[in-house]
Amino acid sequence: MNGVSKYYGSFRALKDINLDVHLGERIVICGPSGSGKSTLIRCINMIEPIENGDVVVEGVTLGADRKATELVRRDIGMVFQQFNLFPHMTVLENCVLAPMKVRGVRRAEAETIAMTYLERVRIADQAKKYPAQLSGGQQQRVAIARALCMSPKLMLFDEPTSALDPEMVKEVLDTMIWLAEEGMTMICVTHEMGFAQAVAHRVIFMADGEIVERAEPEAFFTNPQHARTKAFLAQIL
Ligand code: ADP
């Protein structure tokens, strides 16, 4: 992201964001509510348009060329706080829809791929159920499997455990840790600082639409530099 600014009306939600993320890197973004974390990751897959600057993914400047943008967006998976599964479709249908419609994968192959990922997230036995028949933790694991069915090169997570009951947080974090161990490039907005310490290469702290601090986890947690980071960590740790 080069000099990215984002406005909602006259409100500047992102201010001159510069961020490089390398292949295989795992970034955790944290910061107070309203600091622009969600907006930042939503700009990476163009859910939110930006007013200034560039987002470049795999060498493609998003928005510059429609076809190239569409192709590169397919490589970006996203997991939302509220799961966002299609409620009228079974777990399996949720997982095969995008590969079939967007990538043109045949149904039999799409189902084989879907079952492989559903097994990886330990939920294959629920494949015929509808989202409402599953717990929140199970739905979020399905959402992760669904994103993986598109063979993404980058996964964005927007507070994936915030809507979960406490006993379900671990099963989703364990799935994310597995994904990290597989070498997936991940950008995660989360307040799960244990997760950040365990898997992040870098932690980014935002406040008021800006990146205030960025550091490796150990330095971030033991020796934060900025007063706002210190205040935030004092509150949540
Ligand atoms: P965070 O994820 O850190 O909680 P957000 O990115 O959701 O922060 O929001 C950053 C700021 O932008 C907040 O002040 C929020 O109220 C505002 N905002 C977010 N989405 C919209 C929107 N669709 N319209 C107007 N303002 C928005």
Side-chain angles (χ1 to χ4, degrees):
M1 306 180 84
N2 302 318
V4 170
S5 290
K6 159 77 193 164
Y7 290 82
Y8 294 112
S10 60
F11 175 72
R12 198 173 174 203
L14 293 180
K15 302 171 187 166
D16 193 25
I17 298 290
N18 293 291
L19 175 65
D20 286 321
V21 179
H22 301 280
L23 194 66
E25 208 176 7
R26 300 186 289 272
I27 308 280
V28 160
I29 303 178
C30 61
S33 180
S35 57
K37 308 179 297 293
S38 177
T39 301
L40 188 152
I41 63 165
R42 291 162 72 92
C43 290
I44 299 174
N45 62 355
M46 287 183 77
I47 295 179
E48 296 288 356
I50 58 172
E51 279 71 35
N52 294 107
D54 293 318
V55 179
V56 183
V57 181
E58 293 198 293
V60 174
T61 302
L62 299 186
D65 176 280
R66 203 179 59 82
K67 188 94 202 265
T69 301
E70 208 35 62
L71 284 174
V72 84
R73 282 185 75 203
R74 295 177 187 179
D75 292 339
I76 305 172
M78 181 136 184
V79 175
F80 301 86
Q81 189 175 349
Q82 298 291 345
F83 327 135
N84 291 16
L85 297 173
F86 299 111
H88 59 291
M89 292 182 179
T90 65
V91 164
L92 187 61
E93 289 294 329
N94 265 279
C95 290
V96 300
L97 183 71
M100 289 174 61
K101 288 242 183 232
V102 180
R103 291 221 194 268
V105 179
R106 288 175 190 275
R107 173 170 287 277
E109 189 188 344
E111 289 190 355
T112 304
I113 294 167
M115 290 310 294
T116 304
Y117 283 116
L118 289 170
E119 266 157 36
R120 294 250 176 100
V121 303
R122 295 180 293 107
I123 203 140
D125 53 336
Q126 314 284 336
K128 296 280 161 55
K129 287 194 179 168
Y130 288 88
Q133 296 172 294
L134 305 181
S135 72
Q138 290 174 322
Q139 288 188 58
Q140 195 61 302
R141 284 188 280 138
V142 171
I144 294 171
R146 178 177 66 172
L148 295 177
C149 286
M150 283 291 282
S151 310
K153 295 183 178 152
L154 164 66
M155 285 285 287
L156 307 173
F157 291 87
D158 191 359
E159 299 206 33
T161 58
S162 299
L164 299 176
D165 292 333
E167 71 271 20
M168 292 169 193
V169 169
K170 185 174 180 299
E171 68 190 53
V172 171
L173 289 179
D174 284 347
T175 304
M176 292 169 67
I177 289 168
W178 158 73
L179 202 51
E181 286 166 351
E182 294 278 296
M184 178 63 76
T185 310
M186 298 165 73
I187 305 178
C188 312
V189 175
T190 180
H191 290 144
E192 294 292 336
M193 293 298 120
F195 173 80
Q197 275 167 319
V199 311
H201 294 110
R202 277 190 293 159
V203 181
I204 283 169
F205 176 75
M206 291 186 72
D208 296 331
E210 292 179 282
I211 296 179
V212 170
E213 189 156 345
R214 49 183 109 200
E216 291 181 7
E218 187 172 342
F220 183 82
F221 290 109
T222 59
N223 189 22
Q225 299 296 306
H226 199 283
R228 301 225 31 189
T229 319
K230 289 178 191 171
F232 176 76
L233 290 175
Q235 266 180 354
I236 65 160
L237 290 181

PDB file of all heavy atoms in Angstrom, residues 134-147:
ATOM      1  N   LEU A 134     -25.032 -24.891  12.688  1.00  0.00           N
ATOM      2  CA  LEU A 134     -23.681 -25.024  13.246  1.00  0.00           C
ATOM      3  C   LEU A 134     -23.432 -23.967  14.320  1.00  0.00           C
ATOM      4  O   LEU A 134     -24.066 -22.917  14.322  1.00  0.00           O
ATOM      5  CB  LEU A 134     -22.628 -24.842  12.142  1.00  0.00           C
ATOM      6  CG  LEU A 134     -22.719 -25.739  10.918  1.00  0.00           C
ATOM      7  CD1 LEU A 134     -21.568 -25.403   9.967  1.00  0.00           C
ATOM      8  CD2 LEU A 134     -22.668 -27.206  11.312  1.00  0.00           C
ATOM      9  N   SER A 135     -22.472 -24.261  15.187  1.00  0.00           N
ATOM     10  CA  SER A 135     -22.051 -23.257  16.178  1.00  0.00           C
ATOM     11  C   SER A 135     -21.266 -22.151  15.462  1.00  0.00           C
ATOM     12  O   SER A 135     -20.837 -22.324  14.317  1.00  0.00           O
ATOM     13  CB  SER A 135     -21.165 -23.913  17.233  1.00  0.00           C
ATOM     14  OG  SER A 135     -19.897 -24.215  16.667  1.00  0.00           O
ATOM     15  N   GLY A 136     -21.044 -21.062  16.175  1.00  0.00           N
ATOM     16  CA  GLY A 136     -20.264 -19.960  15.597  1.00  0.00           C
ATOM     17  C   GLY A 136     -18.863 -20.390  15.211  1.00  0.00           C
ATOM     18  O   GLY A 136     -18.360 -20.049  14.132  1.00  0.00           O
ATOM     19  N   GLY A 137     -18.235 -21.160  16.082  1.00  0.00           N
ATOM     20  CA  GLY A 137     -16.869 -21.614  15.794  1.00  0.00           C
ATOM     21  C   GLY A 137     -16.827 -22.508  14.560  1.00  0.00           C
ATOM     22  O   GLY A 137     -15.915 -22.417  13.730  1.00  0.00           O
ATOM     23  N   GLN A 138     -17.845 -23.378  14.447  1.00  0.00           N
ATOM     24  CA  GLN A 138     -17.919 -24.254  13.265  1.00  0.00           C
ATOM     25  C   GLN A 138     -18.156 -23.421  12.005  1.00  0.00           C
ATOM     26  O   GLN A 138     -17.536 -23.667  10.964  1.00  0.00           O
ATOM     27  CB  GLN A 138     -19.035 -25.278  13.450  1.00  0.00           C
ATOM     28  CG  GLN A 138     -18.723 -26.330  14.502  1.00  0.00           C
ATOM     29  CD  GLN A 138     -19.908 -27.240  14.764  1.00  0.00           C
ATOM     30  OE1 GLN A 138     -21.070 -26.807  14.773  1.00  0.00           O
ATOM     31  NE2 GLN A 138     -19.632 -28.508  14.987  1.00  0.00           N
ATOM     32  N   GLN A 139     -19.052 -22.436  12.100  1.00  0.00           N
ATOM     33  CA  GLN A 139     -19.321 -21.591  10.923  1.00  0.00           C
ATOM     34  C   GLN A 139     -18.057 -20.850  10.487  1.00  0.00           C
ATOM     35  O   GLN A 139     -17.785 -20.724   9.300  1.00  0.00           O
ATOM     36  CB  GLN A 139     -20.414 -20.566  11.247  1.00  0.00           C
ATOM     37  CG  GLN A 139     -21.791 -21.175  11.369  1.00  0.00           C
ATOM     38  CD  GLN A 139     -22.871 -20.117  11.497  1.00  0.00           C
ATOM     39  OE1 GLN A 139     -23.027 -19.262  10.636  1.00  0.00           O
ATOM     40  NE2 GLN A 139     -23.616 -20.168  12.584  1.00  0.00           N
ATOM     41  N   GLN A 140     -17.286 -20.382  11.461  1.00  0.00           N
ATOM     42  CA  GLN A 140     -16.083 -19.642  11.082  1.00  0.00           C
ATOM     43  C   GLN A 140     -15.060 -20.583  10.449  1.00  0.00           C
ATOM     44  O   GLN A 140     -14.339 -20.194   9.526  1.00  0.00           O
ATOM     45  CB  GLN A 140     -15.502 -18.910  12.307  1.00  0.00           C
ATOM     46  CG  GLN A 140     -14.474 -17.849  11.962  1.00  0.00           C
ATOM     47  CD  GLN A 140     -15.026 -16.730  11.074  1.00  0.00           C
ATOM     48  OE1 GLN A 140     -15.516 -16.986   9.968  1.00  0.00           O
ATOM     49  NE2 GLN A 140     -14.932 -15.500  11.542  1.00  0.00           N
ATOM     50  N   ARG A 141     -14.991 -21.825  10.918  1.00  0.00           N
ATOM     51  CA  ARG A 141     -14.066 -22.776  10.286  1.00  0.00           C
ATOM     52  C   ARG A 141     -14.520 -23.089   8.854  1.00  0.00           C
ATOM     53  O   ARG A 141     -13.688 -23.250   7.949  1.00  0.00           O
ATOM     54  CB  ARG A 141     -13.954 -24.041  11.134  1.00  0.00           C
ATOM     55  CG  ARG A 141     -13.080 -23.794  12.375  1.00  0.00           C
ATOM     56  CD  ARG A 141     -12.784 -25.063  13.118  1.00  0.00           C
ATOM     57  NE  ARG A 141     -13.890 -25.465  13.963  1.00  0.00           N
ATOM     58  CZ  ARG A 141     -14.317 -26.721  14.097  1.00  0.00           C
ATOM     59  NH1 ARG A 141     -13.736 -27.694  13.411  1.00  0.00           N
ATOM     60  NH2 ARG A 141     -15.326 -26.998  14.887  1.00  0.00           N
ATOM     61  N   VAL A 142     -15.838 -23.144   8.652  1.00  0.00           N
ATOM     62  CA  VAL A 142     -16.352 -23.322   7.287  1.00  0.00           C
ATOM     63  C   VAL A 142     -15.956 -22.117   6.427  1.00  0.00           C
ATOM     64  O   VAL A 142     -15.523 -22.269   5.278  1.00  0.00           O
ATOM     65  CB  VAL A 142     -17.891 -23.493   7.281  1.00  0.00           C
ATOM     66  CG1 VAL A 142     -18.422 -23.455   5.840  1.00  0.00           C
ATOM     67  CG2 VAL A 142     -18.292 -24.783   7.967  1.00  0.00           C
ATOM     68  N   ALA A 143     -16.068 -20.918   7.013  1.00  0.00           N
ATOM     69  CA  ALA A 143     -15.727 -19.705   6.247  1.00  0.00           C
ATOM     70  C   ALA A 143     -14.259 -19.738   5.831  1.00  0.00           C
ATOM     71  O   ALA A 143     -13.913 -19.322   4.719  1.00  0.00           O
ATOM     72  CB  ALA A 143     -16.025 -18.462   7.084  1.00  0.00           C
ATOM     73  N   ILE A 144     -13.408 -20.253   6.716  1.00  0.00           N
ATOM     74  CA  ILE A 144     -11.979 -20.360   6.365  1.00  0.00           C
ATOM     75  C   ILE A 144     -11.806 -21.394   5.248  1.00  0.00           C
ATOM     76  O   ILE A 144     -11.107 -21.149   4.259  1.00  0.00           O
ATOM     77  CB  ILE A 144     -11.140 -20.722   7.607  1.00  0.00           C
ATOM     78  CG1 ILE A 144     -11.180 -19.558   8.618  1.00  0.00           C
ATOM     79  CG2 ILE A 144      -9.693 -21.040   7.217  1.00  0.00           C
ATOM     80  CD1 ILE A 144     -10.568 -19.875   9.979  1.00  0.00           C
ATOM     81  N   ALA A 145     -12.459 -22.537   5.385  1.00  0.00           N
ATOM     82  CA  ALA A 145     -12.370 -23.577   4.345  1.00  0.00           C
ATOM     83  C   ALA A 145     -12.884 -23.034   3.014  1.00  0.00           C
ATOM     84  O   ALA A 145     -12.289 -23.272   1.959  1.00  0.00           O
ATOM     85  CB  ALA A 145     -13.167 -24.811   4.763  1.00  0.00           C
ATOM     86  N   ARG A 146     -13.995 -22.303   3.072  1.00  0.00           N
ATOM     87  CA  ARG A 146     -14.577 -21.754   1.836  1.00  0.00           C
ATOM     88  C   ARG A 146     -13.570 -20.838   1.140  1.00  0.00           C
ATOM     89  O   ARG A 146     -13.399 -20.911  -0.084  1.00  0.00           O
ATOM     90  CB  ARG A 146     -15.857 -20.969   2.160  1.00  0.00           C
ATOM     91  CG  ARG A 146     -16.474 -20.330   0.925  1.00  0.00           C
ATOM     92  CD  ARG A 146     -17.763 -19.621   1.207  1.00  0.00           C
ATOM     93  NE  ARG A 146     -17.591 -18.446   2.069  1.00  0.00           N
ATOM     94  CZ  ARG A 146     -18.558 -17.580   2.330  1.00  0.00           C
ATOM     95  NH1 ARG A 146     -19.766 -17.766   1.815  1.00  0.00           N
ATOM     96  NH2 ARG A 146     -18.336 -16.546   3.111  1.00  0.00           N
ATOM     97  N   ALA A 147     -12.910 -19.999   1.919  1.00  0.00           N
ATOM     98  CA  ALA A 147     -11.910 -19.102   1.311  1.00  0.00           C
ATOM     99  C   ALA A 147     -10.766 -19.915   0.704  1.00  0.00           C
ATOM    100  O   ALA A 147     -10.283 -19.608  -0.393  1.00  0.00           O
ATOM    101  CB  ALA A 147     -11.385 -18.127   2.354  1.00  0.00           C
TER     102      ALA A 147
END
